[in-house]
């Protein structure tokens, strides 16, 4: 269980990786060592992210922590598809693509675990085009970022991909807009001063979105009334609302930019993030 310090908690089935992780034998760690020679990994949190967030993460100077949404990250987890695998003497490098970007993931070879049947079985299933989940830390070498992985495992249930992207979005909204408002109470303020949580759009419907255009309001109302978990395609929305598809796209773009809706089965089918 990870607590981000602002009442946001999450849990992962990391087979031990999420509850402290540690580093795989042979992984460079000198820059993160504390006064006692080792960092207290058990106190670290695990942040679900997208690869684009990793690539765009801020680092004020080479020895500083990476930051996403203004918050320091230690251990991260993400999902993606393996594009290539390169095996070296000391490590295995995977190029992983999650649709938002591509990054190299390096897993240092632990000689003590090479004969572990479970570890060998997991590695044998990691192949090109296979979807995987990664736990690790963001690192930089020669101004190029990569992820030093503690654990990489193949994904068996493809629902995990959607679950992860939704959770990464929820955590991003938590840090960028603040935690959701308490039921019946006023919205809390996020670190950037913006009203926190869902900014009233789920409680007040179209009237709760005073800054949205009429196109966005109509698309929102149509999506709110659908019972489909997959949402509605642009053509269905245009037919339901009685609005040209170009205007539907305009409304959807506003809602996507505000994190109110997300794409589902394809880039032209949307559903409400709040369900």
């Amino acid at each position: 269980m990870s607590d981000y310090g602002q009442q946001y908690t999450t849990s992962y089935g990391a087979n031990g990786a999420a509850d402290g992780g540690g580093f795989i034998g042979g992984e460079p760690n000198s820059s993160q060592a504390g006064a006692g020679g080792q960092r207290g990994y058990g106190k670290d949190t695990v942040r679900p992210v997208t690869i684009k967030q990793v690539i765009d993460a801020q680092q004020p100077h080479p020895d500083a922590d990476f930051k996403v949404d203004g918050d320091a990250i230690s251990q991260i987890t993400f999902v993606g598809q393996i594009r290539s695998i390169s095996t070296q003497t000391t490590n295995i490098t995977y190029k992983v693509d999650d649709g938002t970007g591509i990054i190299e993931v390096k897993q240092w070879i632990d000689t003590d675990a090479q004969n572990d049947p479970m570890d060998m079985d997991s590695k044998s299933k990691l192949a090109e085009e296979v979807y995987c989940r990664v736990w690790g830390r963001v690192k930089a070498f020669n101004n190029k970022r990569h992820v030093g992985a503690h654990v990489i495992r193949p994904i068996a249930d493809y629902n995990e991909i959607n679950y992860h992207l939704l959770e990464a979005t929820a955590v991003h909204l938590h840090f960028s807009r603040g935690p959701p408002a308490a039921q019946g109470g006023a919205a809390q303020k996020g670190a950037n001063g913006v009203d926190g949580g869902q900014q009233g759009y789920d409680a007040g419907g179209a009237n709760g979105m005073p800054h949205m255009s009429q196109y966005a309001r109509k698309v929102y109302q149509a999506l709110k009334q659908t019972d489909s978990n997959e949402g509605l395609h642009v053509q269905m929305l245009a037919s339901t609302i009685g609005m040209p598809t170009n205007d539907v796209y305009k409304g959807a773009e506003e809602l996507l930019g505000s994190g109110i809706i997300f794409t589902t089965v394809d880039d032209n089918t949307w559903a409400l993030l709040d369900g």
Side-chain angles (χ1 to χ4, degrees):
M1 180 74 70
S2 300
D3 186 343
Y4 292 104
Q6 297 184 28
Q7 294 76 51
Y8 184 92
T9 58
T10 186
S11 59
Y12 304 95
N15 295 329
D19 60 357
F23 66 94
I24 300 300
E27 180 178 352
N29 191 49
S30 59
S31 65
Q32 296 183 356
Q38 274 190 328
R39 179 171 175 168
Y41 286 98
K43 296 181 180 180
D44 288 341
T45 60
V46 181
R47 168 86 183 251
V49 295
T50 64
I51 291 176
K52 187 178 189 302
Q53 286 180 304
V54 175
I55 295 172
D56 293 344
Q58 298 178 341
Q59 189 184 33
H61 56 83
D63 294 327
D65 289 334
F66 288 94
K67 290 187 176 183
V68 174
D69 298 323
D71 190 77
I73 56 174
S74 52
Q75 298 192 75
I76 61 170
T77 183
F78 60 90
V79 301
Q81 190 173 26
I82 299 172
R83 295 303 186 189
S84 66
I85 302 175
S86 176
T87 303
Q88 307 295 327
T89 304
T90 58
N91 68 81
I92 303 174
T93 300
Y94 303 86
K95 278 193 176 180
V96 181
D97 179 359
D98 72 346
T100 70
I102 301 176
I103 198 166
E104 287 189 349
V105 177
K106 295 182 181 292
Q107 186 170 38
W108 297 87
I109 296 175
D110 183 1
T111 55
D112 294 333
Q114 280 185 316
N115 296 323
D116 185 339
M118 292 183 63
D119 184 67
M120 293 173 63
D121 181 62
S122 179
K123 280 187 169 58
S124 68
K125 295 178 180 177
L126 292 172
E128 292 183 5
E129 307 307 320
V130 168
Y131 283 88
C132 66
R133 178 180 281 277
V134 176
W135 286 267
R137 294 177 183 274
V138 184
K139 298 181 178 293
F141 183 72
N142 288 338
N143 295 320
K144 183 180 179 181
R145 294 183 185 181
H146 70 276
V147 173
H150 309 320
V151 176
I152 305 175
R153 65 160 173 78
I155 287 178
D157 182 355
Y158 287 97
N159 286 321
E160 183 176 351
I161 300 169
N162 292 328
Y163 295 155
H164 170 78
L165 293 175
L166 287 172
E167 184 167 32
T169 301
V171 177
H172 163 67
L173 291 174
H174 174 87
F175 281 106
S176 62
R177 300 186 183 183
Q183 186 174 1
Q188 300 181 35
K189 295 287 186 179
N192 59 1
V194 179
D195 282 347
Q198 319 232 345
Q199 296 190 328
Y201 62 76
D202 58 342
N207 293 329
M209 301 187 298
H211 303 299
M212 291 293 174
S213 69
Q214 59 175 329
Y215 307 129
R217 293 169 188 265
K218 290 181 178 180
V219 171
Y220 174 83
Q221 290 289 14
L223 291 174
K224 190 177 181 72
Q225 293 170 8
T226 183
D227 294 327
S228 172
N229 291 329
E230 294 182 353
L232 293 176
H233 187 270
V234 59
Q235 297 292 348
M236 181 63 71
L237 281 166
S239 175
T240 301
I241 302 171
M243 192 163 65
T245 55
N246 285 342
D247 293 340
V248 174
Y249 278 119
K250 291 178 183 178
E253 185 175 350
E254 284 188 55
L255 297 172
L256 284 167
S258 300
I260 297 174
I261 66 174
F262 65 101
T263 57
T264 58
V265 296
D266 58 42
D267 291 340
N268 298 316
T269 303
W270 307 289
L272 291 182
L273 185 61
D274 65 339

